[in-house]
Amino acid sequence: MNRYLILLFLIPSLAICQIKLKPNIIKVHNSAELTDAISKANAGDNIVMANGIWKDVQIKFYGKGTKEQPIILKAETTGKVTIEGVSNLQLGGDYLEVMNLHFKNGHTPTGSVIQFKINDETIANYSKVTNCVIEEFTQPNREVSDHWVELWGKHNQLDHCNIIGKSNFGPTVRVFLTGNKNINNHHQIIFNHFGPRPRKGGPHGETIQIGDSETSMTPSYTNVSNNYFEHCNGEVEVISNKSNFNEYRNNIFFESEGSLVLRHGNYCTIDGNVFIGNDSSEFIGGIRVINTGHWITNNYFYNLKGKEFRSALAVMNGIPKSPLNRYMQVTDVVVANNTFIDCVSPFQFSVGVNIDKKTVLPASEIRSERPERMVVANNMVYNHKEDNYPIVAYDKVDGVTFKKNVFNNVNKSNISNDGIITRDFQVKKLSEYLYVPTKNQEDAYKGFDFEKISTDIFGADRTKQNSIGAITIPVIDPTLINKKLYGTNWFSTNSPHYNAKIIQVATNKELLSQLEKSHSGDILSLKSGIYEITSALVINKHITIISVNSKNKAQLQFKGEKAVFEMHPKGVLNLENVILKGDKTQEAFTTLAKNMSQAYDLFIKNTEISDFKSVIKSYKASFADTISINNCVIKNCLNGIELNKETDDGGDYNAEFVYIKNSKFDNIQSTVLDYYRGGYDESTIGGNLVLQNNTFTNCGTDDKSGILIHNQGIVNVDFSNNTFKNNPVRDIAILWGEKGQKPVNNTISNSGQIRIEESLKQKLMY
């Protein structure tokens, strides 16, 4: 009887609890209503933002929720609330959740788009941002620095978000460790889709940075797991670890021109990650190691062709008594049970050694401390194409112990011992990018604490069947990449298919009107004749302009004041079979003088350019991903190609790839090319110049520097098969010997010399 009485009293009580747990829905339609709702919110409240565009809103979301009843801020309909204009979001308090918002068409007025902090007293804890998108919410001026997500406080989470297209200074996601409120934070960065992040042309382009050099010895315990990094090309550090005890597990780095870099901080775990390269880029890296106590296990590297800082496994030399912001010695690091498939020279040790640069660098920058007490064991290296130099050592490797590392090609490196084994074994392809051994190599080395490597990359139990490499067979599920796991469940980066149109143009008026009306991807086909242009042709989309008749090219005669073509952010111009003529007072091509928020591209082919003040004039903070000039004639211009406006010597430059091939330059009165990168920085590709099969005649007559082609600080230079005739200069070019630059098969007549400078003295940035 008592049991029944208890049930009778209990059932209404449960019903009351259920009523209390039902969230209070508060729908808001504007900023005033939103601010009011936040100020009155209690645990369990759901603040719902009405569908539509919320422009120029600065949201301060604060309150005290509970684990069972968080305060939630969300869109009325998933993805139908867009935050635009000059806007941002700050969180402060406990158990707050933000979901389903879309930031686009704008930028933050402060240092962050989403910040887990309102001020130093109001910091978020146990809060999360989930299922949101930040899409090209980038600063108009690329030189302005911000972060798209700042994590402060403790136990916060960023999950299932898409974060796309940051092109200005600053890491995309930054974890702060300033003060006791922010250390031992245990943040979770999980199941997000990062990228693309375009090339930036300078440092400070990381996708994730955890801590900084000043707080690098503090414990963070941040977990970065199960994220997809796609084409994150901002700089050499896709992830920059700068704190202790962080974990990086099961992330995929897909064709990202950089590495997971243990830049500062100690005792990190890097386990189960996948690094995918391709055949077209030598800048895609893997893991770069600095500092102490890291465990690097169960990672899979495929088709990586990077070297030195961007090699599959780059182990650096340190600086004796290094300050916090430079390079600590590598000690007590374990690299075990990883698999490298079709990676070029995957093991590179003492990267960054620079003892030979004592004449141009201070002692505080000389990296001479080799790795110590490092164990490299049970790793598998397989190459379908023979690679006899799997190990590159830039210094002695006497502090590294090798155990049971298996290679399928003969090792002809100067590093060879009993722990480096050549073995005849085979692999088979199970799915795209995934190759596994046909049988397990079971004679694995059992080192100290190796029993904690208890599973393989797919979670298979190693205690039952262990093997060398990241993978034990059989593999139950061979899916290496499932993009559906990452990011939101509603947003797609795939653009709708568009069938490009060929638009016939016969008059000046048609050219201007059709250019303005055309869709990105369209082709403007010019009939033969003279087109008198009086104002700049604005290129703010992907457009092709080509003559119908390549033997009777259309001629653009420019009568305006500034430039024929004005390149805008995201503008891509393909110009082919056209004649451009000026009156020596204008530029043929130029960028905006400010607000070049994103990169442009310029491809010029079979075109004649003459009588301009400058061929290409860039402005500070402008950036071209690619400039290509092929089979062109450029003559009678005062100046050539000016990519020299980043003079702060901070490692920045105005173009990533510059290709000049099969072209003729005649009577360019000043420097033909000025392509500049200043500052002692190794965080970027560093610029690429390909100068092949060109002829330079009667150029440089008025240039005071005495140098025909300036490539100061540009890292990658191909200078081959060019002809120089009657150019009254002292030096054709000065090449950087330390970077392997050398002239090949050039013909020189009455034109000075090509000089090689082995070590280039540069301004220190740190």
Side-chain angles (χ1 to χ4, degrees), residues 592-606:
L592 291 175
K594 58 182 181 179
N595 292 341
M596 285 295 292
S597 60
Q598 299 186 58
Y600 68 97
D601 293 282
L602 181 58
F603 303 90
I604 310 169
K605 186 177 181 181
N606 300 330

Side-chain angles (χ1 to χ4, degrees), residues 122-257:
T122 311
I123 297 174
N125 297 290
Y126 299 99
S127 298
K128 69 178 180 179
V129 172
T130 183
N131 210 38
C132 292
V133 172
I134 307 178
E135 180 187 10
E136 296 186 0
F137 209 72
T138 201
Q139 294 288 340
N141 182 351
R142 294 174 62 252
E143 292 186 307
V144 175
S145 181
D146 65 15
H147 311 117
W148 281 7
V149 179
E150 287 187 3
L151 286 157
W152 297 77
K154 298 185 179 185
H155 298 283
N156 293 315
Q157 181 165 307
L158 177 72
D159 72 276
H160 293 93
C161 293
N162 290 78
I163 301 180
I164 308 147
K166 190 176 195 292
S167 58
N168 64 305
F169 277 43
T172 307
V173 175
R174 174 85 185 269
V175 175
F176 282 85
L177 298 163
T178 308
N180 288 332
K181 293 180 180 180
N182 304 297
I183 65 173
N184 293 303
N185 55 66
H186 298 276
H187 294 318
Q188 304 292 312
I189 302 173
I190 55 176
F191 292 103
N192 301 289
H193 186 159
F194 294 102
R197 173 153 193 178
R199 300 183 185 102
K200 188 188 148 294
H204 312 297
E206 305 93 337
T207 296
I208 295 179
Q209 179 181 324
I210 301 178
D212 60 27
S213 58
E214 297 304 315
T215 61
S216 59
M217 293 297 106
T218 58
S220 182
Y221 292 100
T222 295
N223 174 42
V224 180
S225 295
N226 297 292
N227 299 286
Y228 187 71
F229 297 87
E230 182 177 22
H231 298 145
C232 291
N233 301 335
E235 63 149 80
V236 72
E237 299 181 18
V238 178
I239 293 179
S240 184
N241 180 85
K242 295 185 176 181
S243 50
N244 295 338
F245 304 113
N246 298 312
E247 295 191 2
Y248 303 94
R249 296 183 184 272
N250 307 316
N251 301 288
I252 294 173
F253 298 83
F254 184 78
E255 296 183 349
S256 292
E257 291 182 337

Side-chain angles (χ1 to χ4, degrees), residues 112 114 146 180 211 391 408 683 756:
S112 58
I114 297 175
D146 65 15
N180 288 332
I391 303 174
N408 76 310
S683 297
I756 297 176

Side-chain angles (χ1 to χ4, degrees), residues 230-508:
E230 182 177 22
H231 298 145
C232 291
N233 301 335
E235 63 149 80
V236 72
E237 299 181 18
V238 178
I239 293 179
S240 184
N241 180 85
K242 295 185 176 181
S243 50
N244 295 338
F245 304 113
N246 298 312
E247 295 191 2
Y248 303 94
R249 296 183 184 272
N250 307 316
N251 301 288
I252 294 173
F253 298 83
F254 184 78
E255 296 183 349
S256 292
E257 291 182 337
S259 302
L260 193 170
V261 179
L262 301 167
R263 182 63 184 86
H264 301 305
N266 307 304
Y267 305 108
C268 292
T269 299
I270 304 92
D271 181 83
N273 301 283
V274 174
F275 300 84
I276 304 296
N278 58 40
D279 291 328
S280 60
S281 177
E282 296 181 356
F283 305 113
I284 299 170
I287 297 171
R288 179 153 58 100
V289 186
I290 305 134
N291 285 73
T292 294
H294 309 300
W295 278 66
I296 300 169
T297 56
N298 286 323
N299 301 288
Y300 179 84
F301 306 81
Y302 174 71
N303 202 20
L304 303 182
K305 302 188 183 307
K307 60 184 179 180
E308 297 183 0
F309 281 68
R310 298 171 188 264
S311 54
L313 177 71
V315 182
M316 290 198 66
N317 264 20
I319 296 171
K321 298 180 181 179
S322 174
L324 287 175
N325 68 333
R326 301 314 292 135
Y327 290 89
M328 302 286 188
Q329 185 181 22
V330 174
T331 60
D332 304 296
V333 168
V334 173
V335 178
N337 289 99
N338 302 284
T339 293
F340 302 82
I341 302 291
D342 292 333
C343 296
V344 177
S345 299
F347 293 174
Q348 303 204 11
F349 294 94
S350 292
V351 168
V353 62
N354 57 358
I355 299 170
D356 59 343
K357 295 191 70 176
K358 289 182 179 179
T359 58
V360 295
L361 289 176
S364 60
E365 283 294 319
I366 301 301
R367 295 184 287 248
S368 59
E369 284 195 326
R370 301 189 292 271
E372 291 285 348
R373 301 185 304 279
M374 181 176 187
V375 177
V376 178
N378 301 333
N379 299 291
M380 176 177 287
V381 178
Y382 186 94
N383 281 281
H384 288 90
K385 294 181 180 179
E386 190 172 37
D387 180 13
N388 297 132
Y389 297 91
I391 303 174
V392 176
Y394 301 95
D395 200 344
K396 294 179 182 178
V397 290
D398 46 358
V400 180
T401 299
F402 296 92
K403 295 288 186 180
K404 288 292 178 70
N405 299 283
V406 175
F407 302 77
N408 76 310
N409 293 150
V410 175
N411 171 35
K412 295 181 181 179
S413 305
N414 56 5
I415 307 301
S416 180
N417 57 45
D418 293 342
I420 300 169
I421 303 165
T422 298
R423 182 177 291 176
D424 185 14
F425 67 97
Q426 301 298 318
V427 298
K428 61 181 178 181
K429 186 175 183 179
L430 290 191
S431 61
E432 190 172 19
Y433 312 116
L434 178 60
Y435 290 83
V436 304
T438 54
K439 66 177 183 179
N440 289 321
Q441 310 289 315
E442 297 180 353
D443 54 335
Y445 170 70
K446 298 178 181 178
F448 176 77
D449 236 9
F450 272 38
E451 65 274 8
K452 77 178 186 180
I453 313 173
S454 58
T455 61
D456 76 350
I457 189 172
F458 292 111
D461 189 349
R462 285 190 182 273
T463 63
K464 295 180 179 178
Q465 188 173 37
N466 198 7
S467 66
I468 292 170
I471 302 163
T472 59
I473 56 173
V475 176
I476 304 303
D477 181 1
T479 304
L480 190 64
I481 301 175
N482 180 4
K483 290 179 68 172
K484 293 180 180 179
L485 298 175
Y486 313 102
T488 69
N489 56 12
W490 54 270
F491 179 81
S492 174
T493 56
N494 296 325
S495 301
H497 178 71
Y498 173 75
N499 292 318
K501 298 177 181 177
I502 299 176
I503 302 168
Q504 301 295 329
V505 173
T507 66
N508 302 344

